[in-house]
Amino acid sequence: MAMKVVLAILLCFVACESLVSAQESERRRFRFTTEAQQCKLDRIQVRPPSRRIESEGGITELWDEADEEFQCAGVGAIRNLIRPNSLSLPKFHNAPMLVYIEQGEGFMGMNYPGCAETYEAQSTQSSRSTRRMGRRIGAGRSGEDQHQKVRRVRRGDMIVIPAGTVQWCYNDGGEDLIAVAFMDLNNDDNQLDLRMRGSFLAGGIPSESRREIRGSKSDDLVNIFNGFDQEFLAEAYNIPTELARRMKEERSSGLIVRCDEEMSFLTPELEEEELSESPFSRRGEDSNGLEETICTARVQHNMNTQREADLFSREAGRVNILNQLKLPILRFIGMSAEKGHLFPNAQHNLHWSMTDHRLVYVIEGEAEIQISDDYGNQVFNERVSRGNMFVIPQFYPALARAGQEGFEWVTFKTSNQPMKSPVAGYTSFFRALPLQLLEQSFQITTAEAQQLKQTRRQHTFLFPPSSSSRSRSRSRRA
Amino acid sequence: MAMKVVLAILLCFVACESLVSAQESERRRFRFTTEAQQCKLDRIQVRPPSRRIESEGGITELWDEADEEFQCAGVGAIRNLIRPNSLSLPKFHNAPMLVYIEQGEGFMGMNYPGCAETYEAQSTQSSRSTRRMGRRIGAGRSGEDQHQKVRRVRRGDMIVIPAGTVQWCYNDGGEDLIAVAFMDLNNDDNQLDLRMRGSFLAGGIPSESRREIRGSKSDDLVNIFNGFDQEFLAEAYNIPTELARRMKEERSSGLIVRCDEEMSFLTPELEEEELSESPFSRRGEDSNGLEETICTARVQHNMNTQREADLFSREAGRVNILNQLKLPILRFIGMSAEKGHLFPNAQHNLHWSMTDHRLVYVIEGEAEIQISDDYGNQVFNERVSRGNMFVIPQFYPALARAGQEGFEWVTFKTSNQPMKSPVAGYTSFFRALPLQLLEQSFQITTAEAQQLKQTRRQHTFLFPPSSSSRSRSRSRRA
Amino acid sequence: MAMKVVLAILLCFVACESLVSAQESERRRFRFTTEAQQCKLDRIQVRPPSRRIESEGGITELWDEADEEFQCAGVGAIRNLIRPNSLSLPKFHNAPMLVYIEQGEGFMGMNYPGCAETYEAQSTQSSRSTRRMGRRIGAGRSGEDQHQKVRRVRRGDMIVIPAGTVQWCYNDGGEDLIAVAFMDLNNDDNQLDLRMRGSFLAGGIPSESRREIRGSKSDDLVNIFNGFDQEFLAEAYNIPTELARRMKEERSSGLIVRCDEEMSFLTPELEEEELSESPFSRRGEDSNGLEETICTARVQHNMNTQREADLFSREAGRVNILNQLKLPILRFIGMSAEKGHLFPNAQHNLHWSMTDHRLVYVIEGEAEIQISDDYGNQVFNERVSRGNMFVIPQFYPALARAGQEGFEWVTFKTSNQPMKSPVAGYTSFFRALPLQLLEQSFQITTAEAQQLKQTRRQHTFLFPPSSSSRSRSRSRRA
């Protein structure tokens, strides 16, 4: 009982926080009014990307933000595959993003205007960086460079990118780097429309190299310098016209380019980085919110760390939650995320989100998922698998059962402190309700009502496989 | 003069608060752009409910949120009549609500996920609850139950229900319980569209039993379990398939059911409840905001308490205001309310709301009400009476005069700290303006300007009947 | 280097602040979804006013808020020309406004409901006010008046007017007073639609006197009293019906009236007012936010004070920024402004706004301005001059070069703590980027990359004329 109270208090805290902190959220929603704009989701679908842009150094896939569910939720999604020794060119977007590194590792740069160039690279720093020196002919003090922080990213990392912030990503690893990005278009930081807009600061794609999966727009996508007259740029920057022309140039190599030679960036040792992710340093951050300035804000969190799991069951699986209490910058971005792993045949409790829309991306395995609308209509009943993406709208109840190989997913949420309401189990509606009320509501006996109150009583969201599913799975295997 | 300054300071405080606290408000509005969406309110109308759903245990009436003014204001309304010994089944809505108990009394439950089951019901508790014991056959420890807080509600209570929160209401009194609910659809807590959505956790209505007042949609409205496969549910809950089937069942008894037997819930003594409403305990709440957690937040306030009136005139009437300073949870909900009583022939000052749309519901009596738009067109000129509901849009000036029997109303507002700007009287535009400016603006003499400045000088919003209206009323009676 | 760090820290502070303080902003945006509503800005145009209303005492010009860019940005604009000894009649608007006094001087009144009438005018006060006394026949205590604060405004002042607040303006100077007002229609304080709505409390315009520049609506615009029945008003105010009729009267003199005689209002000596604008008193305000109440909030700031310039270059020009740190009330209004002066042929750095839409109004001189969209299309390439107004949407990069006579402008912004991201110069993207990345992104040599990193290195936003433009200008003059 004591434990129960403690858990209850902890859970209350989360619930309470979600209201208290709402005041600090950047989350601001618009509402639809005309027929065309309503969230009339008779059927929710697993959506494949609608556009695919092949570049020299990788592939960019875009989900169509005009799809019914995406539009209702006001979200967008992009998947980038960056080949080894390739660079996703610098760009900024019109809405805040959460980027999940699905595979590989590399460097990621994010540039805030006005932050100091706090990384000093010197020629003696590393053998790799000296290798490049040969090319630095003509530079004043050859071999020296100062720039803003460059981050090391790896599989499992979630990175927060504020709206309008320039970012780039370089794959220095041996395998393809795959990054899945979630944009919250209906965020207050985006005062434009609900279109995904990426503004490139270099590169560009010739129209013929873009392959439309569904027939949509095919404008030229070139870098922003193309919008300015060459000599105007040259004068503004006090540079030769030829260099200004070079900047504007649409590169046939596209949005992701293969680099002439391997790049290496100064980063602190990996061990130190790990250290800074210890619970102690994080606690320090909580007390300050943004530490000193946005320039030093933590924007990165690894979602794969098992010892940091927020829900954990030896029989059912685990869930890592990333919210504003873990990563304070989320407080100002109005988003959060969750990464989960269900063991084979385990289930995720029937529940609805009280606070946000969710975009689910399947990383591994399979699951059967059912979603209901407010009228009790089944709007989704699919077996989802790797690479699938779908929306679960706010207030829509959902239920999931992992397949034979288990189920691993990442969920992006449009709230910085989300709250879920489960139907059964430890913190559920069934347990909260007086017994008599269950009896009268469902016209059942006291015994049945007690069965509902007691079912899965020790579990919250993750249910171990039931005996029936185990036998079913056995029979299937047979 | 000193009193004037004190009042001015108090009023300033309110004004100031409304700006200061706006930062904590959940109020976030979208704007319309296309022709179709504009607030083109050439005429505001008193709106009757557009749908009526008859259930075994009562009647549910819904106002059409697509009506011009409702759509402009982004609000919806529902009126429930619950017969004695009947239960309005558990459900949740897609937007925060304010519920006003117009008549009767009963129990209301609201379930937050994660809050502890802090109410322990035992068989020895009350004679009423023992009566039920006979039926509790098969229960493990018969006669014991733990559940979340259940609230006693009665006539005059205003209850706050956050979006997505499960609520139910049981009438244990002798007369019909009537509850009028106001939904703020355009609230940031609702990320879906502007439709009213009620998701039932039990019950449901067969399509034939729904009577459409105006020809609108007639989908089946059943409980959310209907959206899931029976065996999927049975497995998830580890319950017999038969019980899962029972839960999904559409009950012909509808959304409000008559109970087999009288229910009774454990509640603290009424006296203690009254005590907790004393000004002292309330002052304590102010200092903390949400007290400890959302689980113990106060969500209920009686609007009929004369000694708590915020505006009070022996000749004109009184107004009770409910804002975030009285009920801190409103700070996170972005709504507020007001209940007023005008004496026969008394008037409510000409004024406009600087901060919010208002939905007015007439409880008793009659009034003549006129509303103007920004172009000086009269958009409303009606004699409203009991049960009428109408919208006063933000910035639209309005003026009211009570009928022969007086006028009693409740106003729901889409702001957590509303501010009104009166034209005449103690805190008005007329008094704030320099004399010369009144002269030049209206081309009137200094004497007339002074008359405008002095008129109703001791009153703020409630004006006693003028002599002319008294005589008029006499002549009518004659 | 030390200075660089200090500047970087200061700039970081601004960046950081803009995130931190966002939580206190009133800025809440809606998003468009249907085709019709998207910000499809293939071409941005310099927009002239679309309506012109001539009144006896001046001219009112309105920009069409339905124009593509205005609609995308959710803004509106009005320009009032008030002739000497004329009065812009009391009115309120449906959204917060920033008003810039382009020319002249006068008195401005803003009336908050509930604020005390803290200005006592007595007959002995000034010779001017005694002059008026002759007319005050019939007044109880002739020659005495109490009213709310009246503000002295002059060229260069920016005044903040909250939504729904009554304001009026009287020109007591010798030249025409010109005021340019910017309305943030898509502000959360406006819960109505995106139309500009001005509700007049006196005056009005007969339809024939309104001249439509483009054929739009021609409803009668009269004062709000017109929306109420005469006798209803008389009774409510306890005034003669004749006086009520006079108030409703549509004055053929329009929205700005010529006064019968000169008016004068009590204001503290100008020297004292200047004093209160010293950095010391302002610092005090910062520590409190709203000082005591909204009644005493500072709402006025002169943008022409050279010693307060935030960006300053002897060769290029200067910029005065007005944000919530200077004028705390902006924190609750969600807007800010900037006034800049570029010297002849100087340039404004290529940059984009990360936080807001901007409405630019040209005060003096000329400039060539180019704007690009996210696809690298040039959407604006104009030589703008005095009186021109245009929108720069959020995230759209822009570049400017002053003409031969320099360029003076004022920018209104839809964020209370805006942040700009420059491409080149001291705090720029180029400098933040590692050298190698510039090489790979633009396919340039190390030397060229270093040139980009070093260009304009000592400048942030204002660039002195380059040698080429100087010679060009010489050749043009020749």
Side-chain angles (χ1 to χ4, degrees):
Chain A
M1 182 63 208
M3 206 189 66
K4 158 108 195 180
V5 166
V6 168
L7 180 57
I9 286 170
L10 283 176
L11 287 162
C12 295
F13 179 68
V14 170
C16 171
E17 257 302 312
S18 82
L19 281 194
V20 171
S21 56
Q23 74 188 72
E24 295 166 3
S25 153
E26 278 308 280
R27 193 80 244 138
R28 277 133 202 179
R29 290 279 147 188
F30 79 117
R31 307 290 166 264
F32 310 85
T33 47
T34 58
E35 280 298 295
Q37 292 167 300
Q38 288 186 349
C39 285
K40 287 192 172 176
L41 305 171
D42 293 337
R43 183 124 301 271
I44 293 174
Q45 291 175 48
V46 168
R47 298 285 184 181
S50 66
R51 296 172 72 191
R52 178 186 170 95
I53 301 170
E54 304 227 16
S55 301
E56 183 195 65
I59 298 163
T60 304
E61 289 169 303
L62 297 103
W63 275 262
D64 189 353
E65 71 270 29
D67 276 341
E68 215 171 18
E69 309 95 319
F70 281 68
Q71 193 183 349
C72 168
V75 300
I78 303 171
R79 184 167 53 199
N80 265 319
L81 180 150
I82 305 171
R83 302 216 176 84
N85 192 32
S86 294
L87 168 70
S88 173
L89 291 167
K91 63 199 157 296
F92 62 88
H93 288 92
N94 62 327
M97 287 167 77
L98 290 178
V99 179
Y100 178 76
I101 307 296
E102 189 181 348
Q103 178 188 300
E105 58 177 320
F107 290 101
M108 185 175 276
M110 287 169 54
N111 306 121
Y112 295 109
C115 290
E117 288 90 54
T118 49
Y119 275 44
E120 302 177 29
Q122 288 186 319
S123 51
T124 55
Q125 199 64 35
S126 79
S127 58
R128 251 175 151 179
S129 95
T130 45
R131 227 191 302 159
R132 282 196 51 74
M133 289 304 108
R135 210 181 151 219
R136 295 197 177 163
I137 307 158
R141 289 170 297 167
S142 142
E144 282 187 27
D145 185 25
Q146 280 192 317
H147 55 81
Q148 285 188 10
K149 192 173 184 172
V150 170
R151 285 168 174 84
R152 187 96 203 125
V153 296
R154 67 178 199 275
R155 183 168 169 270
D157 276 349
M158 186 72 75
I159 301 114
V160 181
I161 300 174
T165 304
V166 174
Q167 47 118 185
W168 51 266
C169 186
Y170 172 67
N171 181 359
D172 74 331
E175 61 176 339
D176 291 348
L177 188 160
I178 300 179
V180 183
F182 163 69
M183 282 176 74
D184 186 14
L185 295 164
N186 195 10
N187 191 292
D188 194 48
D189 289 350
N190 175 23
Q191 297 189 4
L192 283 168
D193 52 18
L194 284 179
R195 272 180 51 207
M196 288 197 290
R197 294 166 185 256
S199 299
F200 282 79
L201 288 148
I205 34 172
S207 12
E208 66 268 28
S209 75
R210 265 170 288 156
R211 185 143 54 96
E212 299 296 322
I213 292 183
R214 302 188 226 165
S216 60
K217 70 190 138 216
S218 60
D219 320 288
D220 283 325
L221 172 59
V222 284
N223 74 51
I224 56 166
F225 296 112
N226 200 60
F228 300 92
D229 293 351
Q230 203 160 297
E231 59 167 25
F232 205 174
L233 282 178
E235 187 189 328
Y237 293 152
N238 220 357
I239 52 170
T241 312
E242 172 57 23
L243 181 51
R245 193 192 58 73
R246 205 92 65 74
M247 288 165 60
K248 295 178 57 170
E249 204 160 63
E250 180 184 309
R251 281 177 62 164
S252 54
S253 39
L255 307 177
I256 303 172
V257 296
R258 186 163 301 137
C259 296
D260 300 343
E261 45 186 305
E262 243 176 81
M263 290 196 287
S264 172
F265 304 99
L266 181 75
T267 46
E269 291 302 304
L270 202 61
E271 291 75 43
E272 297 177 47
E273 191 188 24
E274 296 271 40
L275 195 68
S276 79
E277 282 181 358
S278 81
F280 297 99
S281 68
R282 206 174 320 115
R283 204 170 299 149
E285 275 175 24
D286 280 356
S287 65
N288 179 314
L290 269 191
E291 287 161 287
E292 288 184 15
T293 67
I294 186 76
C295 299
T296 57
R298 223 163 79 90
V299 296
Q300 189 175 359
H301 184 90
N302 195 282
M303 309 287 288
N304 277 347
T305 320
Q306 191 166 332
R307 67 182 150 88
E308 285 191 4
D310 296 284
L311 302 179
F312 185 76
S313 155
R314 288 197 186 281
E315 294 172 289
R318 62 171 182 275
V319 174
N320 285 32
I321 294 174
L322 182 61
N323 61 21
Q324 61 180 15
L325 298 175
K326 284 197 186 151
L327 206 54
I329 197 176
L330 290 176
R331 185 180 299 253
F332 308 104
I333 299 291
M335 294 192 276
S336 58
E338 184 177 295
K339 175 160 186 299
H341 191 157
L342 271 182
F343 293 157
N345 298 311
Q347 287 149 26
H348 193 288
N349 201 344
L350 177 54
H351 70 282
W352 64 93
S353 168
M354 300 170 74
T355 49
D356 51 280
H357 297 295
R358 289 171 287 169
L359 188 61
V360 182
Y361 179 75
V362 184
I363 295 173
E364 202 64 68
E366 281 191 342
E368 276 177 82
I369 290 174
Q370 295 191 354
I371 303 177
S372 165
D373 71 4
D374 51 317
Y375 271 80
N377 302 315
Q378 193 173 81
V379 292
F380 189 87
N381 183 3
E382 302 270 343
R383 175 168 288 270
V384 298
S385 57
R386 181 171 182 164
N388 283 173
M389 194 175 267
F390 58 96
V391 169
I392 308 180
Q394 191 187 14
F395 304 120
Y396 278 54
L399 180 58
R401 180 172 55 199
Q404 302 301 326
E405 314 301 325
F407 179 53
E408 206 178 333
W409 77 96
V410 62
T411 303
F412 303 98
K413 306 180 185 188
T414 62
S415 162
N416 51 352
Q417 188 63 280
M419 184 153 62
K420 288 186 284 202
S421 191
V423 167
Y426 194 62
T427 60
S428 69
F429 155 68
F430 280 166
R431 287 201 60 178
L433 226 55
L435 207 53
Q436 306 167 67
L437 209 71
L438 277 175
E439 295 168 41
Q440 296 296 341
S441 296
F442 294 118
Q443 299 282 63
I444 54 180
T445 66
T446 306
E448 286 170 328
Q450 278 191 327
Q451 194 174 2
L452 286 183
K453 283 197 83 156
Q454 300 304 324
T455 187
R456 305 291 192 182
R457 68 170 299 170
Q458 69 279 35
H459 304 295
T460 47
F461 285 101
L462 307 181
F463 296 167
S466 60
S467 47
S468 65
S469 78
R470 276 188 197 121
S471 60
R472 188 191 42 150
S473 102
R474 261 193 303 274
S475 65
R476 278 193 195 172
R477 279 176 190 171
Chain B
M1 180 62 207
M3 205 187 67
K4 158 110 193 180
V5 167
V6 168
L7 179 56
I9 287 170
L10 284 175
L11 287 161
C12 295
F13 179 68
V14 170
C16 171
E17 256 304 311
S18 83
L19 281 194
V20 171
S21 56
Q23 74 188 73
E24 293 164 5
S25 153
E26 278 308 279
R27 192 82 242 136
R28 275 132 202 183
R29 292 277 147 191
F30 78 117
R31 308 290 167 264
F32 312 85
T33 48
T34 59
E35 281 297 294
Q37 292 168 301
Q38 288 186 349
C39 285
K40 285 191 172 177
L41 305 171
D42 294 337
R43 183 125 302 272
I44 293 174
Q45 292 175 45
V46 167
R47 297 285 183 179
S50 67
R51 297 172 71 190
R52 178 186 170 96
I53 301 170
E54 304 227 17
S55 300
E56 183 196 64
I59 297 163
T60 305
E61 288 168 304
L62 297 102
W63 275 262
D64 189 353
E65 71 271 29
D67 276 340
E68 216 170 18
E69 309 95 317
F70 281 67
Q71 192 183 350
C72 168
V75 299
I78 303 171
R79 183 168 53 199
N80 265 318
L81 180 149
I82 306 171
R83 301 216 176 82
N85 193 31
S86 294
L87 168 70
S88 173
L89 291 167
K91 63 199 157 292
F92 62 88
H93 287 92
N94 62 329
M97 287 169 75
L98 290 179
V99 179
Y100 178 77
I101 307 296
E102 188 181 348
Q103 178 188 299
E105 58 177 321
F107 290 100
M108 185 175 277
M110 287 169 52
N111 306 120
Y112 295 108
C115 290
E117 288 90 54
T118 49
Y119 274 44
E120 301 177 31
Q122 289 186 319
S123 52
T124 56
Q125 199 63 35
S126 79
S127 58
R128 252 174 150 183
S129 94
T130 46
R131 227 189 300 160
R132 282 194 51 74
M133 290 304 108
R135 210 181 149 222
R136 296 200 178 161
I137 308 159
R141 289 170 297 169
S142 142
E144 282 187 27
D145 185 25
Q146 279 192 317
H147 56 80
Q148 286 187 11
K149 191 171 183 173
V150 170
R151 286 169 173 83
R152 187 96 203 126
V153 296
R154 68 177 199 277
R155 182 168 170 272
D157 276 348
M158 186 72 75
I159 301 115
V160 181
I161 300 173
T165 305
V166 174
Q167 46 118 185
W168 51 267
C169 185
Y170 172 66
N171 180 359
D172 74 331
E175 62 177 339
D176 291 348
L177 189 161
I178 300 179
V180 182
F182 163 70
M183 281 176 73
D184 186 15
L185 295 165
N186 195 10
N187 191 293
D188 196 47
D189 288 351
N190 174 23
Q191 298 188 3
L192 284 168
D193 53 18
L194 285 180
R195 272 180 50 208
M196 287 198 289
R197 293 165 186 258
S199 298
F200 281 80
L201 288 147
I205 34 172
S207 14
E208 65 268 26
S209 75
R210 265 170 288 155
R211 185 144 53 98
E212 298 297 322
I213 293 183
R214 300 188 226 164
S216 58
K217 70 190 140 217
S218 60
D219 320 288
D220 284 326
L221 172 60
V222 285
N223 75 51
I224 57 166
F225 296 112
N226 201 61
F228 300 93
D229 294 350
Q230 203 161 294
E231 59 166 25
F232 205 175
L233 282 178
E235 187 189 327
Y237 294 153
N238 221 356
I239 52 170
T241 313
E242 172 57 21
L243 181 51
R245 193 192 59 71
R246 204 90 66 73
M247 288 165 60
K248 295 179 56 168
E249 205 161 61
E250 180 183 308
R251 282 178 60 164
S252 54
S253 37
L255 307 178
I256 303 171
V257 296
R258 186 163 302 134
C259 295
D260 301 343
E261 45 186 305
E262 243 176 84
M263 289 196 288
S264 173
F265 304 98
L266 180 75
T267 46
E269 290 303 303
L270 202 61
E271 291 76 42
E272 297 178 48
E273 191 188 24
E274 295 270 40
L275 196 67
S276 79
E277 282 182 359
S278 82
F280 298 99
S281 69
R282 205 177 320 116
R283 203 171 299 150
E285 275 174 25
D286 280 356
S287 65
N288 179 314
L290 268 191
E291 286 159 288
E292 288 184 17
T293 68
I294 186 76
C295 298
T296 56
R298 224 164 79 90
V299 296
Q300 190 174 359
H301 184 89
N302 196 281
M303 309 287 289
N304 277 347
T305 320
Q306 191 165 334
R307 68 181 150 88
E308 286 191 2
D310 296 284
L311 301 180
F312 185 76
S313 155
R314 289 196 186 281
E315 293 172 289
R318 63 172 180 272
V319 175
N320 285 32
I321 294 174
L322 182 62
N323 60 22
Q324 61 180 17
L325 298 175
K326 284 196 186 152
L327 206 54
I329 198 177
L330 290 175
R331 186 181 299 254
F332 308 103
I333 299 291
M335 294 193 276
S336 59
E338 185 177 293
K339 176 160 185 298
H341 190 156
L342 270 183
F343 294 157
N345 298 311
Q347 288 149 26
H348 193 288
N349 200 343
L350 177 55
H351 70 283
W352 64 92
S353 169
M354 299 170 75
T355 48
D356 51 280
H357 297 296
R358 290 172 285 170
L359 188 60
V360 181
Y361 179 74
V362 183
I363 294 173
E364 201 64 66
E366 280 191 343
E368 275 177 82
I369 290 174
Q370 295 190 354
I371 303 177
S372 166
D373 71 5
D374 51 317
Y375 272 80
N377 302 315
Q378 193 173 82
V379 291
F380 189 87
N381 183 3
E382 303 270 343
R383 176 169 287 272
V384 298
S385 57
R386 180 169 183 166
N388 282 174
M389 194 175 267
F390 58 96
V391 168
I392 309 180
Q394 191 187 14
F395 304 120
Y396 278 53
L399 180 58
R401 179 172 55 199
Q404 302 302 325
E405 314 300 324
F407 179 54
E408 206 179 333
W409 77 96
V410 62
T411 303
F412 303 97
K413 306 180 183 186
T414 62
S415 161
N416 51 353
Q417 189 63 278
M419 184 154 62
K420 288 187 285 201
S421 191
V423 166
Y426 193 61
T427 60
S428 70
F429 155 69
F430 280 165
R431 287 200 60 178
L433 226 55
L435 206 54
Q436 306 167 65
L437 210 70
L438 277 174
E439 295 171 39
Q440 295 295 341
S441 296
F442 294 119
Q443 299 282 63
I444 54 180
T445 66
T446 307
E448 285 170 327
Q450 277 191 328
Q451 193 173 3
L452 286 183
K453 282 197 84 156
Q454 300 305 324
T455 186
R456 304 291 192 181
R457 68 171 299 170
Q458 69 278 35
H459 304 294
T460 47
F461 285 101
L462 307 181
F463 296 167
S466 60
S467 47
S468 66
S469 78
R470 275 186 197 122
S471 60
R472 189 191 42 150
S473 102
R474 261 194 303 273
S475 64
R476 278 194 194 170
R477 279 177 192 171
Chain C
M1 181 64 210
M3 207 187 66
K4 158 110 194 180
V5 167
V6 169
L7 179 56
I9 287 170
L10 283 175
L11 287 161
C12 295
F13 180 68
V14 170
C16 172
E17 256 303 311
S18 83
L19 282 194
V20 171
S21 56
Q23 74 186 73
E24 294 166 3
S25 153
E26 278 308 280
R27 192 82 243 138
R28 276 133 202 180
R29 291 279 146 189
F30 77 117
R31 306 291 165 266
F32 311 86
T33 48
T34 58
E35 281 296 296
Q37 292 168 299
Q38 289 186 349
C39 286
K40 286 191 172 175
L41 305 172
D42 294 336
R43 184 124 301 273
I44 293 174
Q45 291 175 49
V46 168
R47 297 285 184 181
S50 67
R51 296 173 71 190
R52 178 187 169 95
I53 301 170
E54 304 226 17
S55 301
E56 182 194 65
I59 298 163
T60 305
E61 288 169 303
L62 298 103
W63 274 262
D64 189 352
E65 71 270 30
D67 276 341
E68 214 170 16
E69 308 96 318
F70 281 67
Q71 193 183 349
C72 168
V75 299
I78 303 171
R79 184 167 52 199
N80 265 319
L81 181 149
I82 305 171
R83 301 217 176 83
N85 192 31
S86 293
L87 168 71
S88 173
L89 291 167
K91 63 200 157 293
F92 61 89
H93 287 92
N94 63 328
M97 287 168 76
L98 290 178
V99 179
Y100 178 76
I101 307 295
E102 189 182 348
Q103 178 188 299
E105 58 177 322
F107 289 101
M108 185 175 277
M110 288 169 53
N111 305 122
Y112 295 108
C115 290
E117 288 89 55
T118 49
Y119 274 44
E120 302 177 31
Q122 288 186 320
S123 50
T124 57
Q125 200 62 33
S126 79
S127 58
R128 250 172 151 182
S129 92
T130 45
R131 227 189 300 159
R132 281 196 52 73
M133 290 304 108
R135 210 179 150 220
R136 295 197 178 163
I137 308 157
R141 288 170 296 170
S142 141
E144 283 188 28
D145 186 24
Q146 280 192 317
H147 55 80
Q148 285 188 10
K149 191 172 184 172
V150 170
R151 285 168 174 84
R152 186 97 203 127
V153 296
R154 66 177 200 277
R155 184 168 170 271
D157 276 348
M158 186 72 75
I159 301 114
V160 181
I161 300 174
T165 304
V166 174
Q167 45 118 186
W168 51 265
C169 186
Y170 172 68
N171 180 359
D172 74 332
E175 62 176 339
D176 291 347
L177 189 160
I178 301 179
V180 183
F182 163 70
M183 281 177 73
D184 187 15
L185 294 165
N186 195 10
N187 190 293
D188 195 47
D189 288 350
N190 174 23
Q191 297 188 5
L192 283 168
D193 53 18
L194 284 180
R195 271 180 51 208
M196 289 198 289
R197 294 166 185 257
S199 299
F200 281 79
L201 288 148
I205 33 172
S207 12
E208 66 268 27
S209 77
R210 265 169 287 155
R211 186 143 53 97
E212 299 297 323
I213 293 183
R214 302 187 226 166
S216 60
K217 70 190 141 220
S218 60
D219 320 286
D220 283 326
L221 171 60
V222 285
N223 75 51
I224 56 167
F225 296 113
N226 200 60
F228 300 92
D229 293 351
Q230 204 160 296
E231 59 166 26
F232 204 175
L233 282 178
E235 186 189 329
Y237 294 152
N238 221 356
I239 52 171
T241 313
E242 172 56 21
L243 182 51
R245 193 193 58 74
R246 203 90 66 73
M247 288 166 61
K248 295 178 56 168
E249 204 160 63
E250 179 183 310
R251 280 177 61 166
S252 54
S253 37
L255 308 178
I256 303 172
V257 297
R258 186 162 302 136
C259 295
D260 301 343
E261 45 185 304
E262 243 175 83
M263 289 196 286
S264 172
F265 303 99
L266 181 74
T267 47
E269 291 301 306
L270 202 60
E271 291 76 41
E272 297 178 48
E273 191 189 23
E274 296 269 41
L275 196 68
S276 79
E277 282 181 0
S278 82
F280 297 98
S281 68
R282 207 175 320 116
R283 204 170 299 149
E285 275 175 24
D286 280 355
S287 66
N288 179 314
L290 269 190
E291 287 161 287
E292 288 185 16
T293 68
I294 186 76
C295 298
T296 57
R298 222 164 80 91
V299 296
Q300 190 174 358
H301 184 89
N302 195 282
M303 309 288 288
N304 277 347
T305 320
Q306 192 166 332
R307 67 182 150 88
E308 286 191 4
D310 295 284
L311 301 180
F312 185 75
S313 155
R314 288 197 186 282
E315 295 173 288
R318 62 172 182 273
V319 174
N320 285 32
I321 294 174
L322 182 62
N323 61 22
Q324 61 180 16
L325 298 175
K326 285 198 186 150
L327 205 54
I329 198 177
L330 290 176
R331 186 181 299 253
F332 308 106
I333 298 292
M335 293 194 276
S336 58
E338 186 178 293
K339 175 160 187 298
H341 190 156
L342 270 182
F343 293 158
N345 298 311
Q347 287 149 26
H348 194 288
N349 201 344
L350 176 55
H351 70 282
W352 64 91
S353 169
M354 300 170 74
T355 49
D356 51 280
H357 297 296
R358 289 172 285 170
L359 188 60
V360 182
Y361 179 74
V362 184
I363 295 173
E364 202 62 69
E366 281 191 341
E368 276 177 82
I369 291 173
Q370 296 190 353
I371 304 176
S372 166
D373 70 4
D374 51 318
Y375 271 80
N377 301 315
Q378 193 172 80
V379 291
F380 189 85
N381 183 3
E382 302 270 343
R383 176 168 288 272
V384 297
S385 57
R386 180 170 183 164
N388 283 173
M389 194 175 267
F390 58 96
V391 168
I392 308 181
Q394 192 187 14
F395 304 119
Y396 277 54
L399 181 57
R401 180 173 54 199
Q404 302 301 325
E405 314 300 326
F407 179 53
E408 206 179 332
W409 77 95
V410 63
T411 304
F412 302 98
K413 306 180 184 186
T414 63
S415 162
N416 52 353
Q417 189 62 280
M419 184 154 60
K420 287 186 284 203
S421 190
V423 167
Y426 194 62
T427 60
S428 69
F429 155 69
F430 279 164
R431 287 199 63 177
L433 225 55
L435 206 53
Q436 308 167 65
L437 209 72
L438 276 175
E439 295 170 39
Q440 296 296 340
S441 295
F442 294 119
Q443 299 282 64
I444 55 180
T445 65
T446 306
E448 286 170 327
Q450 277 191 328
Q451 193 174 2
L452 286 183
K453 283 197 81 155
Q454 301 304 324
T455 187
R456 305 289 193 183
R457 69 170 300 170
Q458 70 278 36
H459 304 294
T460 47
F461 285 101
L462 307 181
F463 296 168
S466 60
S467 47
S468 65
S469 78
R470 274 188 197 121
S471 60
R472 190 190 43 152
S473 104
R474 261 195 302 274
S475 64
R476 278 194 193 169
R477 281 178 189 169

